[in-house]
Amino acid sequence: QVQLVESGGGLVQPGGSLRLSCAASGSIFSLNDMGWYRQAPGKLRGLVASITSGGSTKYADSVKGRFTISRDNAKNTAYLQMNSLKPEDTAVYYCNAGLIVLGSVYESNYWGQGTQVTVSS
């Protein structure tokens, strides 16, 4: 009914850049907060950045000044621009969204399938 599809992951050298995209599709009435999380092997999944429908943003301390989250509400898409990548940024990155589906009055939380980001020389 609702899908979040991520794209843009891959292998990049330290200091390089990647741009992740997350497109929400389906029977969406209202797309609210969107966010990016990441999970490295042996670690818990944690918030990287989030953005409200109005454009307010939050970042994990470890990515401040290097990553930028944005969204295109007309396309139901969120982006994560990642610059100055470090090996410790290596993880599976997941998109998350709070949204209300058509015919409902309650917000539900959805996750994408994840995209691998590997930072290595």
Side-chain angles (χ1 to χ4, degrees), residues 8-96:
L11 173 64
V12 63
Q13 292 187 341
S17 298
L18 282 174
R19 189 193 195 207
L20 305 183
S21 299
C22 170
S25 63
S27 303
I28 300 171
F29 173 73
S30 175
L31 183 58
N32 302 326
D33 292 3
M34 299 185 75
W36 289 95
Y37 290 71
R38 67 186 180 187
Q39 186 168 20
K43 295 189 176 181
L44 297 175
R45 188 177 301 187
L47 178 68
V48 176
S50 65
I51 185 167
T52 68
S53 56
S56 297
T57 59
K58 292 182 181 179
Y59 295 94
D61 287 343
S62 59
V63 307
K64 283 180 181 177
R66 299 188 298 123
F67 291 11
T68 302
I69 189 170
S70 61
R71 64 191 286 169
D72 184 333
N73 290 331
K75 296 181 178 179
N76 284 346
T77 299
Y79 306 96
L80 185 68
Q81 178 66 43
M82 305 185 293
N83 299 329
S84 302
L85 282 161
K86 304 175 182 180
E88 51 263 44
D89 293 318
T90 296
V92 178
Y93 284 70
Y94 296 91
C95 178
N96 177 268

Side-chain angles (χ1 to χ4, degrees), residues 29-30 32 99-108:
F29 173 73
S30 175
N32 302 326
L99 59 89
I100 301 173
V101 299
L102 287 170
S104 175
V105 297
Y106 301 105
E107 181 177 293
S108 299

